[in-house]
Amino acid sequence: MTMITVGKEDFVAQTSPCTIVDLERRRVRLDREKLLENGIFGLEHMDPRARTFILLRSQIMNGFHAEGGRILVVTSTQAGNGKTFVTANLACALSLIQPTVLIDLDLRRPTMATRFGLTVNAGVDDYLLGDCEWEDVGQKVAGLDLTLYPVREPRQDSSTLLSLDRLAGAMTAIRAMPYQPLCIIDTPPALVLDDVMLIARKGDGIVMVIEEGRTTSGELKEAMRLLGAPRIVGTVLNKSMTSGTRRYDYDYYEPA
């Protein structure tokens, strides 16, 4: 198990109405300044704040992915621990060296659209409802090996949607992609909803985001019990109290 220490960020998201359009017309150009404003600096390989995510990328590629892992689920114990911050930056850092897919499956509190500045015409939620096909949802990012699958609007019936066979169909489609991308999935907190358990069984491994000073050992043990400790391939320590405003420390942890 690997522990990486990162910095501190959190944001809120909104989405927009749905009309299905052609995939090529959804090839999006990201606004660099907007990304930085929203705490996404994983594409800035010279930025000191990206250093931790480059290290985390190496750990994922040399461990999880090298051993055949394709679909990585990211969660935390409670809301606000920084899992989406970690997920977005990790996916961006990965996309610089590896075809990458980033999926927002935090259906009740989706954040990807706002963080990346996307207009969402067809979302993951619409696909799960049967209102569009999986290929209608993906937004390819111009100039990067990165495809984003955002949610169009928050869904309170998230557990019902995630229990449908269409989620399995999406994962099958990801695994069948000819360029074999590494898929990162942002999920709800493990101790808030049962959604992550419905998602995790479709993936190959789980990364747990821990907030220093807030996540308790009891919460972590309960989350590991629910998800199955062997499925957790690593942990990320977020909002480190030992990290300065210009410095992002990291270390590694091997369980006894």
Side-chain angles (χ1 to χ4, degrees), residues 27-55:
R27 190 175 292 273
V28 295
R29 293 189 177 277
L30 301 180
D31 183 329
R32 178 180 175 184
E33 293 305 317
K34 180 61 68 175
L35 294 181
L36 293 176
E37 287 176 12
N38 287 342
I40 299 177
F41 34 75
L43 295 171
E44 306 292 324
H45 66 279
M46 298 300 292
D47 190 320
R49 295 172 296 180
R51 183 179 65 187
T52 297
F53 297 103
I54 292 171
L55 174 65

Side-chain angles (χ1 to χ4, degrees), residues 12-32:
V12 182
Q14 296 177 349
T15 48
S16 57
C18 175
T19 310
I20 297 179
V21 296
D22 180 76
L23 180 61
E24 288 305 310
R25 293 177 58 194
R26 287 200 311 277
R27 190 175 292 273
V28 295
R29 293 189 177 277
L30 301 180
D31 183 329
R32 178 180 175 184

Side-chain angles (χ1 to χ4, degrees), residues 33-244:
E33 293 305 317
K34 180 61 68 175
L35 294 181
L36 293 176
E37 287 176 12
N38 287 342
I40 299 177
F41 34 75
L43 295 171
E44 306 292 324
H45 66 279
M46 298 300 292
D47 190 320
R49 295 172 296 180
R51 183 179 65 187
T52 297
F53 297 103
I54 292 171
L55 174 65
L56 180 56
R57 175 184 72 187
S58 296
Q59 296 296 313
I60 295 298
M61 292 299 295
N62 294 333
F64 172 77
H65 191 55
E67 295 170 1
R70 291 276 309 281
I71 299 177
L72 184 64
V73 174
V74 182
T75 191
S76 60
T77 61
Q78 301 290 347
N81 293 151
K83 64 177 178 56
T84 304
F85 165 67
V86 171
T87 303
N89 278 287
L90 173 60
C92 285
L94 280 165
S95 72
L96 297 175
I97 64 169
Q98 161 74 28
T100 304
V101 167
L102 174 58
I103 303 175
D104 192 346
L105 282 181
D106 192 346
L107 299 182
R108 294 197 186 194
R109 294 184 62 185
T111 64
M112 186 189 301
T114 292
R115 286 176 185 261
F116 284 91
L118 304 177
T119 297
V120 184
N121 297 294
V124 174
D125 49 322
D126 299 300
Y127 164 77
L128 294 173
L129 283 166
D131 294 337
C132 66
E133 298 305 318
W134 185 244
E135 56 267 25
D136 297 317
V137 179
Q139 298 195 30
K140 292 180 177 291
V141 177
L144 293 173
D145 273 333
L146 178 63
T147 305
L148 305 173
Y149 287 81
V151 173
R152 182 173 60 82
E153 63 179 29
R155 302 286 182 171
Q156 296 306 307
D157 56 345
S158 57
S159 296
T160 299
L161 292 180
L162 292 168
S163 65
L164 300 175
D165 291 340
R166 289 181 69 82
L167 177 59
M171 298 302 100
T172 298
I174 294 295
R175 295 184 189 277
M177 288 179 172
Y179 55 95
Q180 296 189 323
L182 203 163
C183 176
I184 310 296
I185 302 178
D186 186 31
T187 72
L191 301 184
V192 176
L193 301 168
D194 66 349
D195 291 14
V196 68
M197 286 177 274
L198 298 171
I199 299 166
R201 63 191 185 192
K202 305 290 193 306
D204 301 317
I206 303 166
V207 165
M208 180 70 65
V209 176
I210 300 168
E211 181 182 349
E212 185 171 358
R214 185 178 175 203
T215 303
T216 68
S217 60
E219 289 176 346
L220 184 57
K221 289 177 181 178
E222 178 63 9
M224 294 177 73
R225 183 189 70 80
L226 291 172
L227 297 172
R231 296 180 60 80
I232 298 177
V233 300
T235 59
V236 176
L237 181 62
N238 189 42
K239 302 186 181 179
S240 172
M241 296 175 183
T242 58
S243 294

